[in-house]
Amino acid sequence: PGLQDLSLAKNKIAELVEGVFPEGLQTLFLPDNKITELREGVFPEGLQELSLSINQIRELVEGVFPEGLQELSLSYNQIVELVEGVFPAGLQILELDNNQITELREGVFPAGLQELTLYNNQITELREGVFPEGLQELTLYNNQITELREGVFPEGLQKLSLAKNKI
């Protein structure tokens, strides 16, 4: 079947170009590199798990991540803003801890998301409709959240961490 799992962790990769990764690839680990931006068409369609943690990514744009992606780690980057349409519909696990995210907007997170980590960011406020109904685990440890409002968290949420905030 060809190469399915590839780790290129702890290298000096600064740029990702189209056609480098084989189509049959299912798991790709690229943590601890020097990646600053992500382009459309770089990641193969069959990719299920992707780690881009410990890089220098500042911005996420639509069309970069394949639709079949189930797990995505973007921890320890320099992401400030999350916009609608970036994350694929089938995504189940999303790690965005240790970034510079200040605000969470409605429509950013896919409906099927089950686990979301957002600790060590600069989030100040939680709004209704931001988190998908199917979310089971949410980590918001060490942010700048000052209050909790009714209806913010999905009813099916099983695990929630709000330690080290300003509530």
Side-chain angles (χ1 to χ4, degrees):
L3 188 63
Q4 294 180 341
D5 300 323
L6 176 60
S7 177
L8 290 165
K10 295 188 178 192
N11 278 289
K12 294 177 181 170
I13 299 167
E15 188 178 6
L16 299 174
V17 292
E18 200 173 337
V20 172
F21 303 115
E23 274 307 312
L25 202 60
Q26 294 176 358
T27 307
L28 178 58
F29 293 105
L30 290 162
D32 209 352
N33 277 286
K34 301 193 180 317
I35 301 163
T36 56
E37 71 175 302
L38 303 174
R39 292 191 196 109
E40 198 173 336
V42 169
F43 302 113
E45 278 306 310
L47 197 63
Q48 295 172 8
E49 187 178 351
L50 175 61
S51 176
L52 289 161
S53 56
I54 317 170
N55 277 285
Q56 295 156 23
I57 300 163
R58 293 178 190 268
E59 188 180 16
L60 300 175
V61 293
E62 200 173 337
V64 168
F65 303 114
E67 278 305 309
L69 196 64
Q70 296 171 9
E71 294 182 41
L72 175 61
S73 177
L74 288 161
S75 305
Y76 291 93
N77 277 284
Q78 296 161 16
I79 301 164
V80 175
E81 186 179 28
L82 301 175
V83 294
E84 200 173 336
V86 169
F87 302 115
L91 198 62
Q92 296 171 7
I93 299 170
L94 178 57
E95 298 172 356
L96 286 163
D97 52 274
N98 293 285
N99 278 284
Q100 295 159 19
I101 300 163
T102 56
E103 183 183 13
L104 301 177
R105 295 187 191 128
E106 199 174 333
V108 168
F109 302 115
L113 196 64
Q114 295 170 10
E115 294 177 32
L116 177 59
T117 56
L118 284 160
Y119 60 88
N120 292 339
N121 276 286
Q122 288 144 29
I123 300 161
T124 56
E125 183 183 15
L126 300 177
R127 294 187 193 117
E128 199 174 333
V130 167
F131 303 114
E133 280 305 311
L135 195 64
Q136 296 169 9
E137 291 185 31
L138 176 59
T139 308
L140 287 160
Y141 173 91
N142 199 27
N143 276 280
Q144 308 294 315
I145 300 162
T146 55
E147 67 176 308
L148 297 179
R149 294 188 198 126
E150 195 177 328
V152 167
F153 302 112
E155 287 188 26
L157 197 62
Q158 297 169 8
K159 203 172 180 180
L160 174 63
S161 173
L162 286 163
K164 287 190 82 179
N165 275 282
K166 299 182 182 209
I167 301 167

